[in-house]
Amino acid sequence: MARGTSRGAPPRPVVDLTIVLDEHQVEQRKATIAAKLEDLGDVSALDSPRARRRRLIDLRAVAPGADLPALALFQYREAFERRADSWQLIAYTYELHDRGRGGRRAYHWHDDSFHAHCLEPDARGTSHYRAVPMEVFEAHDEFARIYLGGGPIRCGDLRPALIG
Amino acid sequence: MTKIAGLHLERPFYSPADVAELAGVHPSTILNYIRDGKLFAIRLSERTYRIPARAVLRLLAPEQLRSVRSIDLPETRADEWLAELRAEHRRGRSST
C-alpha cells in the first residue's frame, strides 16, 4: 500500500498489504497463528465466522501457560471485510502486554494509518509512534524475542509519530 | 523423544541444557530439535537459546497441554472494535 511522505522525508518503502483470502485460507491463517502462539502460552481463538460483512479474528495467548503465573499477553486481532466470495484484511492490531511489570508494545493499522503504541513499565498514557505495514508473523517474532529476552518492554527504538 | 508423565515446570523459560536434562538426552539432541523446527526457541545470541515452558511441554508432555479455546463472537464485534480503535487513536494523538 503506497503511503504519502511529507516534504524532505525519505520515501517510505511501498509494502503491499493487500491480503485477500478465501474461507479456507482464513482458517489456515488462524491455525498458523494459533500454532505459533501455542508455543508461548494458553491460546484463545475468538472469531465471527458467520459474519456477512465484517469479520473479527482475535487470537490471544496468556504466557507462559503451563499453570504458571501470567507474565505476558500476546493479542493479535484482524478485521476482514467481505469481497464477493473472499475476505480482505482492512485493519489489524498486534499487541504484547507485560503482565508482570507493566508495559505494552503494539502495531496498529486502521483508517489508513500505520502506527505503533508503546508504553514502558510505570509509564502512563498512550504514546503514538511511527510504524510501517507489518505482517502478523513479523510482529510475533519481535514480541517473542522481547518476551523470551526476559527484560522489560522498551520504546527507545521507536520514533514518535508526526502530528498532523 | 520419550514423553514424561506428570511433568511439572516451575520456570517460564528454559535453556537447551535444561531441557536435555529433563528429557535425559544430550544437549546436542535438543539443539538438533530446535534446528529441525521440532522445538520452538528464540536465539538471543550466538550461543544462547531460550525455550518457553509451553514449548517444553509440547515436546515432552503434550497430553498436559490445554487445547485452543474457541469462542464465537457476534457479527457486530468487528464494527465495535473498529470504533474502539478510532477512539483510542484520537486519545493517543491528543496526548502525544
Side-chain angles (χ1 to χ4, degrees):
Chain A
M1 183 170 292
R3 316 282 309 143
T5 56
S6 58
R7 186 182 301 177
R12 293 273 303 276
V14 177
V15 177
D16 183 6
L17 202 75
T18 307
I19 295 180
V20 182
L21 306 172
D22 64 26
E23 205 71 48
H24 176 65
Q25 289 169 323
V26 171
E27 291 304 323
Q28 270 187 328
R29 183 174 175 87
K30 260 173 63 180
T32 306
I33 298 168
K36 283 183 174 286
L37 286 170
E38 276 198 279
D39 279 321
L40 294 171
D42 293 332
V43 178
S44 300
L46 294 75
D47 187 6
S48 46
R50 283 175 289 280
R52 280 162 292 184
R53 195 171 61 85
R54 280 186 182 157
R55 174 176 184 175
L56 177 66
I57 290 170
D58 178 340
L59 293 161
R60 42 182 98 165
V62 177
D67 295 324
L68 292 163
L71 293 178
L73 170 70
F74 297 75
Q75 185 170 29
Y76 307 151
R77 288 184 280 196
E78 296 183 332
F80 290 85
E81 203 162 69
R82 176 78 76 185
R83 299 274 186 269
D85 58 354
S86 57
W87 293 100
Q88 180 168 354
L89 183 68
I90 59 162
Y92 64 66
T93 60
Y94 306 136
E95 307 226 359
L96 169 66
H97 296 258
D98 186 328
R99 285 278 179 87
R101 289 170 287 232
R104 171 197 186 205
R105 191 165 170 116
Y107 294 101
H108 286 194
W109 170 43
H110 57 90
D111 301 300
D112 208 26
S113 165
F114 294 93
H115 54 276
H117 295 267
C118 192
L119 208 57
E120 297 190 349
D122 303 323
R124 290 182 178 205
T126 171
S127 295
H128 267 90
Y129 296 89
R130 281 180 250 182
V132 294
M134 191 172 264
E135 241 291 8
V136 61
F137 304 108
E138 196 184 346
H140 177 75
D141 286 348
E142 181 185 307
F143 294 162
R145 191 167 290 280
I146 292 170
Y147 167 66
L148 290 171
I153 289 174
R154 294 292 179 212
C155 309
D157 59 315
L158 296 169
R159 298 174 71 191
L162 298 169
I163 305 291
Chain B
M1 181 75 58
T2 308
K3 305 298 178 208
I4 303 172
L7 178 61
H8 178 67
L9 299 179
E10 295 179 344
R11 289 188 280 133
F13 319 127
Y14 290 82
S15 69
D18 296 330
V19 179
E21 194 176 327
L22 285 169
V25 298
H26 194 272
S28 63
T29 305
I30 300 301
L31 292 172
N32 287 337
Y33 271 69
I34 293 169
R35 209 165 296 127
D36 295 344
K38 293 177 184 168
L39 176 64
F40 174 74
I42 287 280
R43 192 176 195 172
L44 294 176
S45 67
E46 197 177 336
R47 300 180 59 144
T48 310
Y49 287 91
R50 201 159 268 184
I51 304 160
R54 209 164 186 291
V56 177
L57 279 182
R58 256 183 140 176
L59 181 73
L60 298 178
E63 74 289 344
Q64 287 178 224
L65 292 177
R66 244 172 257 154
S67 54
V68 174
R69 201 159 64 102
S70 293
I71 299 166
D72 266 8
L73 294 171
E75 183 169 352
T76 52
R77 188 65 192 107
D79 286 332
E80 291 165 3
W81 176 66
L82 288 167
E84 290 163 14
L85 277 182
R86 285 176 195 131
E88 184 194 24
H89 193 66
R90 279 194 299 272
R91 280 198 305 274
R93 282 190 107 54
S94 63
S95 69
T96 301

